Amino acid sequence: DTAVSQTPKYLVTQMGNDKSIKCEQNLGHDTMYWYKQDSKKFLKIMFSYNNKELIINETVPNRFSPKSPDKAHLNLHINSLELGDSAVYFCASSRQSGGAEAFFGQGTRLTVV
Amino acid sequence: AQSVTQLGSHVSVSEGALVLLRCNYSSSVPPYLFWYVQYPNQGLQLLLKYTSAATLVKGINGFEAEFKKSETSFHLTKPSAHMSDAAEYFCAVSEGTSGSRLTFGEGTQLTVNP
């Protein structure tokens, strides 16, 4: 059983389209995250949800909208895709306690053409 | 604010040689520190973490790291490199009392030569 699973693994789309990435964790964690890894492999947090409530929203364009239907799922919807959105997006989850290990999904490689 | 600096974006060692990947952090409160490994086209896997229990932390695959507060460092070492260790390594810091909001370093690509 995959602990944190994301779909799709690869996503190629045209500029201006709207797309979603889904994430599910079966670890029973309360907290889920979205990270973005750019072409230089730099990782930066985008959002964090705790028990379906948004607790971290970094300076991300409002074209990006996370949605958490329940604490096991955190989806990422992106409107009006731009070339600069091309990256690998990682979902992760952890327990709520400070210093808890984050478990990462396999990533979704988004290419905007 | 928290930050991480990894010295050396690329490190190359021979198989069997010592691996040393450097990480320095900045944190306004006692930090939690992590090393993650990323193999090509895969997600991140935790190697080890420091959460103030012990300054020398042992992780998976023979890796260990030592927390040195005076040097604000958390360098990763392995006595003998294997070909399978070739990957991207990330040092990360978390300050939070809730969850694991990670600030990552820029990563170090480890190459192991036969």
Side-chain angles (χ1 to χ4, degrees), chain B residues 50-87:
Chain B
Y50 167 76
T51 55
S52 77
T55 56
L56 183 61
V57 181
K58 294 188 184 299
I60 62 171
N61 301 340
F63 285 93
E64 63 181 38
E66 186 172 7
F67 172 72
K68 292 187 177 180
K69 184 178 178 181
S70 61
E71 299 177 7
T72 61
S73 68
F74 190 57
H75 302 330
L76 182 71
T77 60
K78 181 174 180 177
S80 176
H82 293 166
M83 297 295 291
S84 60
D85 293 328

Side-chain angles (χ1 to χ4, degrees), chain B residues 82-104:
Chain B
H82 293 166
M83 297 295 291
S84 60
D85 293 328
E88 189 86 22
Y89 290 80
F90 293 94
C91 182
V93 63
S94 170
E95 291 180 342
T97 56
S98 174
S100 187
R101 181 200 184 283
L102 297 168
T103 298
F104 284 92

Side-chain angles (χ1 to χ4, degrees), chain A residues 33 35 37 58 96 100 102, chain B residues 36 38 46 98-102:
Chain A
Y33 314 82
Y35 285 84
Q37 185 173 45
E58 293 293 314
Q96 191 177 352
Chain B
Y36 280 86
Q38 184 180 27
L46 182 72
S98 174
S100 187
R101 181 200 184 283
L102 297 168

Side-chain angles (χ1 to χ4, degrees), chain A residues 44-59:
Chain A
K44 187 174 169 62
I45 192 166
M46 300 173 69
F47 301 103
S48 173
Y49 268 73
N50 188 46
N51 280 323
K52 303 193 302 176
E53 181 181 343
L54 179 66
I55 56 173
I56 293 174
N57 182 353
E58 293 293 314
T59 50

Side-chain angles (χ1 to χ4, degrees), chain A residues 9-10 33 35 37 40-43 45 56 58 90 94-102 104-106 109, chain B residues 32 34 36 38 41-44 46 49 51 88 90 94 96-106 109:
Chain A
K9 186 168 184 178
Y10 299 96
Y33 314 82
Y35 285 84
Q37 185 173 45
K40 296 184 178 179
K41 297 193 176 179
F42 185 65
L43 283 149
I45 192 166
I56 293 174
E58 293 293 314
F90 287 99
S94 76
R95 291 194 307 274
Q96 191 177 352
S97 55
E101 172 188 353
F104 284 79
Q106 293 294 293
R109 182 175 295 276
Chain B
Y32 300 107
F34 306 81
Y36 280 86
Q38 184 180 27
N41 298 315
Q42 293 192 24
L44 284 81
L46 182 72
K49 65 177 182 179
T51 55
E88 189 86 22
F90 293 94
S94 170
T97 56
S98 174
S100 187
R101 181 200 184 283
L102 297 168
T103 298
F104 284 92
E106 295 186 347
Q109 177 69 48

Side-chain angles (χ1 to χ4, degrees), chain A residues 8-25:
Chain A
K9 186 168 184 178
Y10 299 96
L11 186 53
V12 180
T13 188
Q14 291 187 324
M15 278 189 347
N17 283 351
D18 302 338
K19 290 293 178 185
S20 292
I21 306 171
K22 296 186 175 182
C23 178
E24 176 181 5
Q25 55 96 2

Side-chain angles (χ1 to χ4, degrees), chain A residues 80-93:
Chain A
S80 304
L81 279 155
E82 301 177 356
L83 293 177
D85 298 331
S86 296
V88 181
Y89 293 86
F90 287 99
C91 178
S93 73

